[in-house]
Amino acid sequence: MDRCVVLVDAGYLLGAAASLLAGDPSRSKVTVDHIALIAALRERAEAETGLPLLRIYWFDAAPERRPMPEHRRLRVLPRVTVRLGALTRAEGRWVQKGVDAAMHAELSELARNRACADVVLITGDGDLLPGMMSAKEHGVVVHLWALQAADGDFNQSEDLVGEADERRVLDREWIEGSFSLRDTSSVFPSPGARHDIAKILAAPPAAPPATLPAPLPAAQVPDEPAAVAASAAPAVNGSSPQPAAAGLKVVPTPKDLAGRSADRQAAVAQQQNGQQHGGAPQTGPVLRWSSDRGWIDRPVTEPAVTAGDGLPTLAQVTTAEQRWADREEDITSIGGDAHEVGQVFARRWTSRIGDAERLTVLWPGYPRIPHRVDGELLRYAARFGLLAHKDDQIDEHDRYAIRAGFWKELAARVPGGDLVVDD
């Protein structure tokens, strides 16, 4: 068939472009205009081969082969097919698996079925040499394109270069038509504000607001021995007994419990006296060491309730039309940076709730996000592959940046945020 096909090794293309423009092969150093890049590849391939384009195959890798935002943007473009291999972490670095094999299989299949007359290869990996030789044996003309190397030397396999029918180098001017250096200063928090992100785990939980229901009576909620002793203390100078200070309930350590041994013994004695006089026994927390055996039924307590838990989630305030528009925006506009993802989520949530005053109840709990909203935020971030790491572990830096972006956007939209969130 008198048509041409372009096979792109995305790892080589993006890495070589980043090396040339940023001096670092990390593809996160550059921003890609995928629409302009595909158009430039098509125009140049048709000009050099003199044949119309059949298709551009984009070969890349992703964690668990789940499409990243750039893959979703590419696969909806005309004449573009995305093929994904696996991206795994080995010895502290990310490694592609299956990309070379997929390119070899596609090249051989196209040549064997005579689907095209010319093939343009953008790769530097010598593992593709057998596939190139097989394509030539089926009468296909192979064009090998390279990106200009940062040091002026070749960045391709010498055997691959020697086997190609035609060779071209895409220079800096051509690359700069679709690539640009990424401006990280506007996306990531400044180094001076890094401690604000750390507050997300370091800060203690906020006290419940005054509008929440009063705590349950002591008879329904088991208290600590100190609280039991305080509640049982006699009145001083004829005044009414002073209620125990309402503190946050935390899990005591063995050291804490050892320090309360005397209070525990006093509480047990009071319980025994209460039973002898017909009173109701007081219950308290039970400590079981690892040497004990058997199952201990512990009292079930309700989780702490905050004012933010009463707010609706993003899904509850999003219509079907808005959900569709969000999906299109995620594909075409959102880059997938952790800080940006948090900001996008907060922008949608704030605008759809409508009354920004309702969100002011969040500031006493800063930097903690209500549980339901936080779970929804992390699930949204998972669409961009931010949480897909080795052994399904969430990267802490990404998690902090997602939440920091959420608070930063909220502070710009909700009254009082500038007094809480520091840029």
Side-chain angles (χ1 to χ4, degrees), residues 293-305:
R293 296 181 180 180
W295 178 260
I296 300 300
D297 292 330
R298 300 181 183 276
V300 179
T301 58
E302 294 294 331
V305 179

Side-chain angles (χ1 to χ4, degrees), residues 103-126:
M103 290 189 70
H104 180 282
E106 198 71 55
L107 177 58
S108 301
E109 193 71 12
L110 289 169
R112 185 164 47 249
N113 293 329
R114 303 187 183 278
C116 59
D118 290 55
V119 170
V120 175
L121 289 178
I122 304 178
T123 184
D125 198 335

Side-chain angles (χ1 to χ4, degrees), residues 153-191:
D153 200 356
F154 287 110
N155 51 15
Q156 291 177 309
S157 164
E158 183 177 349
D159 293 334
L160 206 63
V161 173
E163 189 67 26
D165 295 312
E166 300 286 345
R167 291 167 289 276
R168 295 289 183 273
V169 175
L170 306 177
D171 58 16
R172 175 185 285 269
E173 181 180 358
W174 187 92
I175 295 170
E176 289 177 344
S178 307
F179 293 85
S180 59
L181 289 175
R182 183 185 295 274
D183 182 12
T184 57
S185 60
S186 61
V187 177
F188 289 100
S190 62

Side-chain angles (χ1 to χ4, degrees), residues 210-233:
T211 57
L212 290 179
L216 294 175
Q220 301 180 27
V221 180
D223 296 327
E224 291 293 330
V228 174
S231 64

Side-chain angles (χ1 to χ4, degrees), residues 282-304:
Q282 299 288 336
T283 60
V286 179
L287 176 65
R288 283 291 186 180
W289 302 102
S290 59
S291 59
D292 291 342
R293 296 181 180 180
W295 178 260
I296 300 300
D297 292 330
R298 300 181 183 276
V300 179
T301 58
E302 294 294 331

Side-chain angles (χ1 to χ4, degrees), residues 40-99:
L41 289 173
R42 178 172 185 170
E43 179 182 359
R44 181 146 186 166
E46 291 181 339
E48 292 200 7
T49 63
L51 300 173
L53 176 74
L54 171 62
R55 193 173 295 115
I56 296 176
Y57 289 90
W58 185 274
F59 295 89
D60 203 358
E64 299 181 3
R65 289 186 168 87
R66 292 185 297 185
M68 303 291 282
E70 63 181 278
H71 304 141
R72 294 197 292 268
R73 286 194 291 269
L74 282 164
R75 67 185 183 183
V76 297
L77 296 178
R79 302 294 183 95
V80 177
T81 297
V82 177
R83 297 279 189 259
L84 293 180
L87 187 64
T88 59
R89 198 167 183 83
E91 298 181 356
R93 57 189 295 268
W94 291 105
V95 179
Q96 293 186 159
K97 289 188 176 181
V99 176

Side-chain angles (χ1 to χ4, degrees), residues 301-349:
T301 58
E302 294 294 331
V305 179
T306 63
D309 291 330
L311 294 171
T313 63
L314 177 61
Q316 291 173 333
V317 294
T318 301
T319 64
E321 292 78 8
Q322 289 172 329
R323 191 173 295 108
W324 177 265
D326 291 346
R327 176 181 173 276
E328 291 299 311
E329 183 183 15
D330 291 342
I331 293 175
T332 59
S333 304
I334 310 304
D337 171 75
H339 202 261
E340 179 188 15
V341 166
Q343 289 183 294
V344 171
F345 182 93
R347 170 173 56 80
R348 293 174 182 171
W349 188 50

